Each structure stands twice: as C-alpha cells, then as structure tokens.
Amino acid sequence: MEFENKILSREISQFIWEKGKTMGTAESCTGGRIAESIILVPGASNYFKGSIVSYTNEIK
C-alpha cells in the first residue's frame, strides 16, 4: 500500500472511532481493495463490520 493511502486509512479509522460509528463497504471494480486498506489498520475490527464485493456484471 502506498504511503499516502496508509495515512488516509489511519485518519479514517481515527475519525470513525472517535465518532463511535461503524462502517462497511460495497465494492465492485476495486475488488475489495477498499476493505483491505481499512483492515490494515490495527483495531479495525472494532468499527469495520465487513464488505460486499460483486465484481462481475452477472452478480451486479
């Protein structure tokens, strides 16, 4: 993961954690990479609930 993305992932995690919120993602063309970047931050399981990835047009 690029350095800038790591910083952004940490900032998002801090924001979500401070607000006491949870989050999930729904992805397509990214193939789950957004969820991957979120869970690379230690403690993400405290606020990240999961992801749905529908990559092919058949599933969408």
Side-chain angles (χ1 to χ4, degrees):
M1 179 186 293
E2 295 178 17
F3 181 71
E4 293 84 10
N5 290 343
K6 287 181 182 178
I7 292 172
L8 183 58
S9 293
R10 288 194 183 276
E11 289 176 354
I12 290 170
S13 71
Q14 184 175 358
F15 178 80
I16 297 294
W17 181 253
E18 287 174 355
K19 298 293 182 185
K21 303 289 183 180
T22 61
M23 67 180 295
T25 60
E27 303 180 61
S28 177
C29 295
T30 56
R33 287 185 300 224
I34 295 171
E36 177 187 21
S37 66
I38 293 168
I39 65 168
L40 287 175
V41 177
S45 61
N46 292 317
Y47 56 86
F48 185 67
K49 298 300 182 183
S51 178
I52 296 172
V53 179
S54 59
Y55 194 67
T56 67
N57 286 334
E58 177 183 49
I59 300 298
K60 292 178 208 176

